[in-house]
Structures are given as structure tokens and as C-alpha cells.
Amino acid sequence: MNILIIEDDIYLAANIKKVFKKRVITNRITILWSYECFIKELPIITSYDIILVDIKLKDLHHQNWIDIIQIIRRKHIKIPIVVISWFNDIQMIEEAFSTWASDYIAKPFRLKELEIRIMKWFQSYCMNIIFTNSQVIKYKKLSYQFDNNDFYYGKIKINLTKKSKFILFQLLIQPEKLITEYILKERLWWDREIIKERNLRVNILRLKQSLEYLWIADRIQNKRGEWYILKKD
């Protein structure tokens, strides 16, 4: 999961990052401190799975937090956007939802509550691609468990590096569908200036080596330089 946090409270942003970094299938958590930083990040906004945005950033007038949501939605991007705010009045909440925010969480909030809500939105976002329950994504005998951030083949736990987990997750939520090499690279490394320098094939090879003892490495197939796919048994 790639999370974008737009929040100028450094302490809060750091604590949110800590929660998600240790628990879920997290590849990247980016913290932006201002509206100006958001505009610079906009070209790669589709590489994120969840966006958290604070209403009252220091460099924003009142209308600009609405602009953040509207700019994203005008691009027909369906990424869940969760608003976090000290304001808890009905008018503000209605305003957020009228701009197509996905959720609204009033400060102060418990980090556990935020984690539960974000995970539910992330899983719902994945459900547009594949049916899942609240804890597990499964395809054939291969499964991913959200609670412990681990993959299993049947009842056998698969030991994987962080990058291998992220790649396998991308394939698992879209089984039997071609995923272009560029999309995988963008979601892994996101910086367009260095994407060409990154060797996705090396990372795929490491993943397949980790799956060889289960005799399922050949389920990950590709056409060199074009696409990857998770095939049936």
C-alpha cells in the first residue's frame, strides 16, 4: 500500500506513518507539509492507494483543502481520500463529502481508529478488483493476510522481503490480468526520474526464487519489457 499524508503537524504525521509502516503491506508512505508540495506530487498521484488530507494546512486558505480533493476527483481518480480535521461541525463535514471525500475523521482521534478506517477503505478499494473479506485476499491456494502482513501458500507461510511482498500483492489483487512493467515500476519507485534506472526484473527474480520451493515460481509470467501476470496453477 502506498499512502500519501498531507499534514503539517509533524508529530501527528510521524505517528501515522509509524502505525502503517509496521503493520500493513506498505511500500511507501509520503508526507507532504503544504499545498505547494501537493501540486508537485500531482503527476504521480495515481501511484497512491490512500490519501489523508488535513483541512487546515498552514499555507492554505479555507478553500484550498477543497481544491486538493477536487483536483484529484476532476482527474477521475477513485483513490479513497480521508479528511482529518479539528473541525467537527456538520457544515464542515457536509462540505467535505460534497467534494467527494471518502471519509471524515475529527481530531483528536485514536491512531487505532484511524488504522481501522484506513484499512477498511484500502480493502474496499481492492475489492473493485477482486472479492475479499476483511482479513484475507486469496487466489487459489495463495493468500495474503492483512493482520500479520504475510503471504501463505495453503497453510505454509512464505518468507519474503518487503519489495517482494509488494510486487506479489500487486499481482495477487489482479490475478490473470496483465500488469505493465511501467505501472509496477511506478508503484514501486514512484520517482519518474529514476524509474528507468531501476531493474524490475531483478526484483521479480528474487520473488520467484522465494517461491521455487513451493513449485509456484512459474505462475509469475512475463513478456520482457512489457508486462507481468499471475497465472493459474
Side-chain angles (χ1 to χ4, degrees):
M1 178 164 64
N2 293 333
I3 305 173
L4 176 61
I5 303 170
I6 308 173
E7 169 64 72
D8 59 6
D9 183 330
I10 298 174
Y11 179 76
L12 176 60
N15 279 329
I16 293 173
K17 181 175 182 177
K18 188 184 299 183
V19 167
F20 289 101
K21 189 172 183 179
K22 69 180 181 180
R23 278 221 55 198
V24 299
I25 185 79
T26 305
N27 174 59
R28 169 170 44 113
I29 302 175
T30 302
I31 299 173
L32 304 181
W33 316 111
S34 67
Y35 179 78
E36 181 181 354
C37 291
F38 161 72
I39 295 300
K40 292 179 180 178
E41 194 76 2
L42 196 56
I44 59 166
I45 205 74
T46 55
S47 67
Y48 291 100
D49 300 297
I50 297 283
I51 298 172
L52 279 70
V53 58
D54 181 19
I55 278 182
K56 200 171 183 181
L57 298 174
K58 291 184 176 66
D59 71 334
L60 294 185
H61 298 297
H62 171 68
Q63 71 274 16
N64 290 119
W65 69 270
I66 298 176
D67 290 345
I68 289 175
I69 301 174
Q70 288 181 334
I71 287 169
I72 296 170
R73 295 304 188 219
R74 284 171 187 157
K75 292 179 175 291
H76 304 289
I77 297 169
K78 297 180 181 179
I79 298 168
I81 303 173
V82 177
V83 174
I84 51 179
S85 171
W86 285 107
F87 299 100
N88 198 20
D89 59 276
I90 294 299
Q91 182 179 353
M92 189 66 73
I93 295 172
E94 286 181 342
E95 195 168 8
F97 283 112
S98 70
T99 59
W100 299 102
S102 304
D103 204 350
Y104 189 104
I105 304 178
K107 299 178 183 178
F109 51 76
R110 293 167 294 183
L111 288 172
K112 184 63 179 180
E113 177 189 355
L114 178 68
E115 179 188 3
I116 291 170
R117 290 207 197 187
I118 294 302
M119 287 306 300
K120 291 299 292 184
W121 277 111
F122 175 59
Q123 291 170 46
S124 296
Y125 188 49
C126 289
M127 284 175 68
N128 292 328
I129 304 169
I130 183 172
F131 176 77
T132 177
N133 61 31
S134 60
Q135 301 299 329
V136 180
I137 289 180
K138 188 174 183 180
Y139 177 69
K140 306 298 183 182
K141 294 175 66 177
L142 184 65
S143 64
Y144 169 76
Q145 296 190 6
F146 281 95
D147 275 356
N148 56 16
N149 188 25
D150 280 316
F151 284 88
Y152 292 83
Y153 186 69
K155 295 183 179 181
I156 302 172
K157 179 181 174 181
I158 308 172
N159 294 316
L160 298 171
T161 65
K162 185 176 181 179
K163 278 288 188 287
S164 291
K165 284 183 178 181
F166 188 77
I167 293 171
L168 186 56
F169 185 83
Q170 300 304 310
L171 297 169
L172 181 62
I173 61 175
Q174 301 184 73
E176 301 179 46
K177 293 186 179 180
L178 301 180
I179 303 176
T180 67
E181 183 173 290
Y182 185 82
I183 286 176
L184 277 177
K185 284 183 176 181
E186 184 180 59
R187 292 188 61 76
L188 276 166
W189 295 295
W190 74 90
D191 188 335
R192 293 176 183 236
E193 293 181 2
I194 65 173
I195 277 177
K196 291 183 179 179
E197 300 174 11
R198 301 293 185 173
N199 194 333
L200 178 61
R201 287 189 291 277
V202 170
N203 287 269
I204 293 287
L205 178 61
R206 289 172 183 161
L207 170 59
K208 295 182 75 169
Q209 288 172 341
S210 299
L211 301 176
E212 282 179 349
Y213 76 103
L214 296 168
W215 301 95
I216 58 173
D218 59 355
R219 291 179 61 186
I220 299 175
Q221 299 179 13
N222 73 293
K223 183 175 181 180
R224 187 167 180 172
E226 294 188 22
W227 49 257
Y228 290 86
I229 189 171
L230 178 64
K231 299 288 286 185
K232 295 180 181 179
D233 290 323

